Amino acid sequence: MARWLLPEGISDALPAEAQHIELLRRRLLDLYRVHGYELVIPPLIEYLDSLLTGTGRDLDLRTFKLVDQLSGRQLGLRADITPQTARIDAHILNRRGVVRLCYAGSVLHTRPAHPLATRQPLQVGAELYGHAGLAADVEVQGLAVDSLRLAGLTDVRLDFGHTGVVKALLAADAAAQPLADDLLAALGAKDRAALRVLAAQLAPATARALDVLVTLHGAPAAVLAQAREQLPAMPAIARALDDLAELTAAVVADAVSIDLSDLHGYRYYTGVNFAAYSRTAGLQGAVLRGGRYDDIGRAFGRARAATGFSIDLRELARVDVATDAAAVLAPAGQDAALRAKVAELRAAGEVVVQQLDSSDVPETLEFARELKLVNGRWCVQSRGR
């Protein structure tokens, strides 16, 4: 086997893609900074019991594991940065009141999220801790939409769910507990035939409610009206529907929908969850996911309300790979005035490549301009003049 081959689902980011990813990373972190989110940089590797705290079996299956040669304890290569920020908030910072954190870094997955996905996403996200009210969810969801618009997506649709509905239904029927994993799989796949076979072992009211859930997706007003009419009158379900009504009315996106059988992150999220899609993005599935995960800080010694979202920048960068069309080509030489002009342009943010010799014209950059000596002064001119 060739030595230069990489593992399946692992790839290099070559110059144009890497440049676009880095530009997006800077812009997104600047966006979060001006909203008051503080940057944290958690380690790539942690003790496994800390890394998987409160995240459920799904993240466990996606996490690479190894043994620490110093302590003999099991370590994990992070598959998600969100649990790490929860640890930082609850145990390291230990601040009172609201804390806003953001991050950007690589994660590693044992298996790709879909057939075309990388196993080494570059995850960027924002998390808000210490506020249990819907105002926190509104802020986070608005920031999520702003993130995608900053990246150039113009038709952002937010799709909302709420884990509280299914959790209330399953908690009310003891026979549902042993069947929970299979029921969740059938609901998530919207497989009514499989769901009805499983639901035959449940109380009739539970079976009817689960069957209705598969149909509850679409425009918020219609879905919520149908849910209030056909789902059991449980306080937890009523609260979940009220939350969805308020949040879908408050979010500013190009389109909004609800899907009550979308159970992505069911064992992780504790309330409203959301995913963002864009028809023009040319990407498979959601380009962003987020939601409320209030329980995760408890294991770190301090239960904290929490809500946030994350994006895979490598996926997002596929939308439009930018190049520096306005790069400036400077001639070779050590002339003091030339070097001063090159430094001046670079300080202003211009991309300037000073040639090593006349044959040095990088192929990956499009040089629309060049530095030329005109009447004793170095000036930027269109190439070919």
Side-chain angles (χ1 to χ4, degrees):
M1 182 177 292
R3 296 180 181 179
W4 56 83
L5 292 180
L6 294 173
E8 185 176 350
I10 303 294
S11 64
D12 298 304
L14 299 180
E17 179 191 7
Q19 179 177 311
H20 189 42
I21 289 171
E22 176 60 14
L23 180 62
L24 281 175
R25 186 192 68 84
R26 294 178 195 173
R27 288 177 174 174
L28 289 171
L29 290 181
D30 282 345
L31 173 68
Y32 305 152
R33 180 180 61 83
V34 299
H35 281 77
Y37 288 74
E38 300 174 273
L39 180 66
V40 293
I41 306 177
L44 181 63
I45 194 167
E46 285 197 37
Y47 291 122
L48 192 63
D49 52 359
S50 172
L51 203 58
L52 299 181
T53 296
T55 60
R57 182 170 175 268
D58 181 58
L59 195 62
D60 186 15
L61 293 175
R62 289 191 287 139
T63 300
F64 279 97
K65 304 172 180 71
L66 63 157
V67 175
D68 183 8
Q69 296 299 311
L70 295 180
S71 67
R73 294 177 61 185
Q74 197 168 26
L75 302 176
L77 291 168
R78 67 184 182 201
D80 185 1
I81 301 178
T82 305
Q84 297 183 294
T85 62
R87 173 184 56 78
I88 290 171
D89 168 70
H91 183 63
I92 306 299
L93 295 179
N94 200 28
R95 296 174 184 169
R96 296 182 179 179
V98 173
V99 173
R100 294 173 173 87
L101 301 177
C102 63
Y103 54 83
S106 291
V107 298
L108 196 62
H109 294 165
T110 57
R111 58 191 69 183
H114 57 77
L116 298 180
T118 176
R119 290 199 292 160
Q120 188 183 357
L122 180 57
Q123 188 179 10
V124 63
E127 315 292 338
L128 192 155
Y129 300 98
H131 194 287
L134 293 183
D137 298 275
V138 171
E139 177 179 317
V140 163
Q141 290 153 17
L143 191 58
V145 174
D146 288 345
S147 298
L148 298 180
R149 287 179 174 162
L150 181 149
L153 301 187
T154 56
D155 63 337
V156 178
R157 173 173 65 87
L158 280 194
D159 189 40
F160 285 85
H162 200 301
T163 60
V165 176
V166 174
K167 287 177 179 177
L169 292 173
L170 298 187
D173 191 330
Q177 305 311 313
L179 303 172
D181 288 342
D182 292 333
L183 288 168
L184 295 173
L187 281 168
K190 294 182 172 53
D191 187 344
R192 296 185 79 177
L195 184 62
R196 285 170 176 169
V197 170
L198 292 165
Q201 305 173 59
L202 306 178
T206 306
R208 284 195 301 271
L210 293 175
D211 189 56
V212 167
L213 275 186
V214 178
T215 69
L216 293 177
H217 55 88
V223 169
L224 291 171
Q226 185 182 354
R228 293 186 194 280
E229 179 182 345
Q230 299 186 25
L231 292 179
M234 297 179 180
I237 292 178
R239 286 194 300 271
L241 298 179
D242 289 343
D243 287 351
L244 286 170
E246 185 169 341
L247 291 173
T248 54
V251 70
V252 181
D254 299 293
V256 180
S257 59
I258 290 177
D259 187 348
L260 290 182
S261 62
D262 182 357
L263 300 175
H264 181 88
Y266 173 83
R267 301 190 186 282
Y268 176 71
Y269 293 120
T270 59
V272 170
N273 58 286
F274 60 93
Y277 300 85
S278 173
R279 286 193 301 268
T280 59
L283 304 175
Q284 286 196 359
V287 294
L288 174 153
R289 287 192 181 273
R292 181 163 285 280
Y293 55 103
D294 290 342
D295 289 345
I296 194 170
R298 188 181 308 277
F300 298 116
R302 195 165 66 122
R304 293 273 277 170
T307 182
F309 65 86
S310 64
I311 310 167
D312 176 7
L313 278 188
R314 296 194 72 166
E315 284 278 296
L316 194 60
R318 293 182 185 180
V319 177
D320 177 29
V321 178
T323 59
D324 280 299
V328 177
L329 187 65
Q334 297 300 315
D335 176 75
L338 170 61
R339 293 171 63 186
K341 185 63 177 180
V342 169
E344 175 191 329
L345 291 170
R346 287 173 175 165
E350 295 275 11
V351 175
V352 183
V353 174
Q354 188 169 11
Q355 295 174 294
L356 300 175
D357 55 44
S358 60
S359 67
D360 177 21
V361 182
E363 297 179 2
T364 56
L365 295 176
E366 182 179 334
F367 295 99
R369 298 173 297 158
E370 63 183 336
L371 266 180
K372 297 190 72 172
L373 190 62
V374 179
N375 298 325
R377 297 181 61 187
W378 288 103
C379 303
V380 178
Q381 295 193 340
S382 297
R383 290 192 74 194
R385 287 182 59 184

